[in-house]
Amino acid sequence: GLNLKAAGKFDAAYDAFNHCLAIDSTASAVLYELSSFYAQLNRPEKSLEMLRRAVAYSSDNFTYRLALATMSRNLGMFGEASDEYEKLVKDYALTQEGEIGKAIDAYDALESSIGMSEALSMQKYKLYNALEQNDNAFKEVEKLAAKFPMESRYQIILGDLHLEKNDTVK
């Protein structure tokens, strides 16, 4: 199925994936692939069903879970999307080195779903620092201070960060 899809033979790939599903209805990779076909066929509810099943059989797969959260959000199912993003954040924020980028992506997705919050921005700040991306870390706090200008604690945090950089003027 993947070879046919890569070759641009989408009808044959779709048939091959359905044949695989008939053999093993719990094959998460097949369910995930079929979900993309249903999305392309403008059948988002069927795509969502396939993604839910893929996640049910492979709940530790980041890609499947992120796709489910994104599809839920696109369909206006913000509660389900938010729940799934929160699970992603919990599961991937405390990951080993090399997975921090995925955690940041999950935080970004959650932020786009539920909006900016101190908890999300501060977690992203910590992750950027762990990656030694100090400029991105600083920008997270700046965005937070700009979004909530009446919250003095964000201004204080910014001031502390400027002091750490020996920028006494700012």
Side-chain angles (χ1 to χ4, degrees), residues 37-112:
F37 278 97
Y38 286 117
Q40 291 296 317
L41 293 169
N42 202 23
R43 295 187 58 198
E45 294 81 11
K46 187 71 173 175
S47 177
L48 184 67
E49 174 197 332
M50 295 286 138
L51 286 171
R52 283 179 178 153
R53 289 174 56 194
V55 168
Y57 297 123
S58 293
S59 61
D60 60 340
N61 187 296
F62 179 86
T63 303
Y64 302 166
R65 290 176 64 188
L66 184 59
L68 175 60
T70 303
M71 178 62 74
S72 298
R73 184 186 69 204
N74 291 346
L75 289 174
M77 303 168 72
F78 298 113
E80 182 175 342
S82 180
D83 289 346
E84 196 59 43
Y85 284 129
E86 284 181 33
K87 288 177 199 169
L88 283 167
V89 168
K90 278 184 196 169
D91 290 350
Y92 289 93
L94 304 173
T95 58
Q96 285 95 21
E97 192 175 335
E99 296 291 321
I100 294 175
K102 287 183 181 179
I104 291 171
D105 291 344
Y107 279 119
D108 286 340
L110 179 58
E111 188 175 81
S112 73

Side-chain angles (χ1 to χ4, degrees), residues 102-157:
K102 287 183 181 179
I104 291 171
D105 291 344
Y107 279 119
D108 286 340
L110 179 58
E111 188 175 81
S112 73
S113 180
I114 66 172
M116 184 181 277
S117 75
E118 178 179 357
L120 290 175
S121 292
M122 294 314 287
Q123 286 299 325
K124 286 173 26 180
Y125 170 79
K126 290 176 189 175
L127 293 172
Y128 280 126
N129 275 331
L131 291 172
E132 296 181 6
Q133 294 180 5
N134 298 328
D135 289 341
N136 286 334
F138 192 79
K139 286 176 187 172
E140 278 303 316
V141 178
E142 283 183 320
K143 287 191 316 187
L144 196 58
K147 175 82 174 174
F148 304 104
M150 301 308 289
E151 289 290 336
S152 60
R153 69 178 176 269
Y154 303 139
Q155 302 303 325
I156 293 169
I157 293 170

